[in-house]
């Protein structure tokens, strides 16, 4: 694996005429990332991974400061996975040209996490935009766990770049908890709470599939979930999986949730 600390150096070495798959990450890699990397290795001739904790997507300075970082462990893992190239850029490299960074999302997209984390998706799109202006991967891989991110990135990339987005399934543990770098802040008791929450939402989803009218029962389910110790629901919404509108049938919806488990913010969708 060749490690690059600057995009220019990477561009000199990597032949983007080959089928290159790109997996952008913020490090602290887990099985979810591993599955993205394996999908890229399967589909592409070369796989490029980036590790960059992107400051512009954090709406809270402490959250950025405390975001888990495990660079040595990550590098060892990426070597084992036979990743071809690793990019670990500096902030100055990504944010050289500040004027070109301002990306806005539309009013209709200001829902769910876009409301509760103002500026977050603008920051995600800014960094992806910079990567794709300067790198030319054939495919870019995103997990469905961050579904709203996937939706917005797809919409943005679709218009501007040739790179194709490959969505990959959420990876869950045996108790249905979605893997996330932020789970490293949770102990086994906390993880149990996330598991109970996930199972209750899955049950709720099955009920809606049987009776679409039950989609209106979100207040009741939020009330029940908030009774779990240390759980505080930020939002729980039933939305169309294609366009994230509230117009759904019993075949095309997902339940989106953001919640605090102790002081750790978790998102998921079912
Ligand atoms: O999903 C993430 O880890 C980040 O939002 C991403 C896509 C790497 C952009 O910083």
């Amino acid at each position: 694996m060749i490690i690059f600390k600057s995009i220019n150096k990477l561009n000199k070495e990597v032949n983007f005429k080959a089928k290159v798959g790109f997996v952008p990450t913020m490090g602290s890699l887990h099985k979810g990332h591993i599955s993205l990397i394996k999908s890229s290795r399967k589909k592409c001739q070369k796989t490029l991974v980036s590790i960059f904790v992107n400051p512009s997507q954090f709406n809270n300075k402490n959250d950025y400061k405390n975001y888990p970082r495990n660079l040595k462990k990550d590098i060892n893992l990426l070597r084992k996975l036979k990743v071809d190239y690793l990019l670990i850029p500096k902030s100055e490299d990504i944010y050289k040209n500040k004027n070109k960074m301002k990306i806005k999302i539309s009013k209709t997209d200001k829902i769910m996490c876009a409301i509760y984390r103002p500026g977050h998706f603008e920051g995600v799109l800014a960094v992806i935009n910079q990567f794709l202006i300067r790198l030319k991967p054939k495919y870019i891989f995103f997990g469905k766990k961050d579904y709203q991110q996937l939706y917005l990135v797809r919409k943005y990339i679709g218009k501007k770049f040739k790179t194709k987005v490959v969505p990959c399934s959420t990876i869950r543990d045996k108790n249905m908890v979605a893997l996330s770098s932020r789970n490293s802040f949770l102990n086994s008791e906390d993880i149990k709470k996330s598991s109970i929450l996930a199972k209750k939402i899955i049950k709720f989803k099955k009920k809606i599939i049987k009776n679409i009218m039950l989609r209106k029962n979100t207040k009741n389910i939020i009330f029940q979930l908030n009774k779990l110790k240390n759980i505080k629901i930020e939002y729980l919404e039933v939305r169309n999986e294609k366009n994230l509108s509230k117009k759904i049938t019993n075949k095309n919806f997902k339940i989106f949730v953001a919640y605090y488990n102790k002081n750790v913010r978790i998102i998921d969708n079912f």
Side-chain angles (χ1 to χ4, degrees):
M1 181 171 81
I2 313 177
I3 301 178
F4 297 96
K5 300 236 164 110
S6 105
I7 299 183
N8 280 350
K9 281 192 185 141
L10 184 148
N11 263 329
K12 279 185 193 142
E13 296 289 324
V14 176
N15 171 17
F16 282 101
K17 286 201 176 100
K19 217 196 245 182
V20 177
F22 178 33
V23 183
T25 82
M26 299 208 296
S28 250
L29 304 175
H30 51 69
K31 284 183 184 153
H33 297 110
I34 295 177
S35 109
L36 300 181
I37 291 165
K38 286 191 173 161
S39 304
S40 172
R41 295 230 333 120
K42 218 168 161 189
K43 200 171 173 74
C44 305
Q45 286 163 303
K46 299 281 180 192
T47 289
L48 162 66
V49 174
S50 66
I51 296 181
F52 178 61
V53 183
N54 172 31
S56 76
Q57 72 186 71
F58 287 83
N59 53 317
N60 175 319
K61 272 190 187 154
N62 276 337
D63 191 21
Y64 171 67
K65 217 173 90 195
N66 297 329
Y67 193 82
R69 290 163 171 87
N70 296 295
L71 193 55
K72 267 195 186 154
K73 211 169 144 211
D74 289 347
I75 292 176
N76 287 336
L77 175 66
L78 295 173
R79 283 211 169 98
K80 273 193 202 139
L81 291 169
K82 299 198 164 62
V83 163
D84 302 280
Y85 313 114
L86 169 62
L87 172 65
I88 314 174
K90 298 234 160 30
S91 247
E92 306 85 80
D93 194 5
I94 302 287
Y95 292 117
K96 256 182 207 162
N97 196 343
K98 277 201 166 163
N99 292 336
K100 287 194 181 157
M101 299 300 300
K102 298 231 160 61
I103 291 170
K104 286 192 176 155
I105 63 169
S106 70
K107 242 186 176 176
T108 46
D109 286 332
K110 292 223 164 135
I111 53 173
M112 301 194 287
C113 286
I115 296 176
Y116 291 95
R117 295 189 74 188
H120 166 66
F121 291 119
E122 288 84 346
V124 171
L125 294 179
V127 73
I128 296 300
N129 186 50
Q130 283 304 304
F131 279 139
L132 293 188
I133 284 175
R134 298 174 65 196
L135 307 169
K136 302 276 176 277
K138 184 116 181 126
Y139 297 101
I140 186 165
F141 294 77
F142 287 94
K144 289 187 188 170
K145 186 189 148 278
D146 298 324
Y147 201 89
Q148 195 176 1
Q149 165 174 284
L150 168 67
Y151 170 80
L152 290 171
V153 164
R154 246 178 163 172
K155 202 165 160 184
Y156 184 73
I157 290 184
K159 288 187 212 152
K160 280 192 76 157
F161 298 100
K162 283 191 180 146
T163 303
K164 292 208 164 46
V165 176
V166 184
C168 299
S169 299
T170 302
I171 304 297
R172 296 183 183 278
D173 72 9
K174 61 179 189 313
N175 295 314
M176 297 313 289
V177 177
L179 298 191
S180 158
S181 304
R182 290 179 194 269
N183 289 356
S184 62
F185 295 129
L186 302 175
N187 63 29
S188 59
E189 275 307 303
D190 307 326
I191 292 280
K192 260 188 212 159
K193 300 276 157 41
S194 285
S195 164
I196 296 172
L197 178 142
K199 286 174 184 167
K200 280 187 189 290
I201 298 177
I202 292 167
K203 239 186 186 171
F204 180 45
K205 181 168 185 176
K206 285 183 183 156
K207 284 186 181 166
I208 300 177
I209 293 173
K210 280 197 185 138
N211 177 1
I212 190 75
M213 289 312 287
L214 293 178
R215 74 187 186 281
K216 298 202 167 139
N217 276 5
T218 50
K219 269 197 186 142
N220 181 32
I221 182 108
I222 291 171
F223 180 75
Q224 283 178 34
L225 294 172
N226 275 334
K227 281 194 203 158
L228 290 165
K229 199 175 165 210
N230 293 333
I231 296 290
K232 178 90 194 75
I233 302 295
E234 188 171 72
Y235 66 77
L236 182 144
E237 296 184 18
V238 182
R239 288 184 177 265
N240 185 301
E241 64 182 353
K242 292 241 155 57
N243 56 23
L244 299 189
S245 78
K246 287 200 168 166
K247 279 192 191 139
I248 63 160
T249 68
N250 64 348
K251 290 196 180 74
N252 68 1
F253 74 93
K254 271 182 170 289
I255 301 176
F256 297 89
V257 67
Y259 64 98
Y260 283 88
N261 188 337
K262 283 188 318 200
N263 55 347
V264 184
R265 187 177 184 275
I266 307 280
I267 56 168
D268 204 347
N269 61 86
F270 301 88

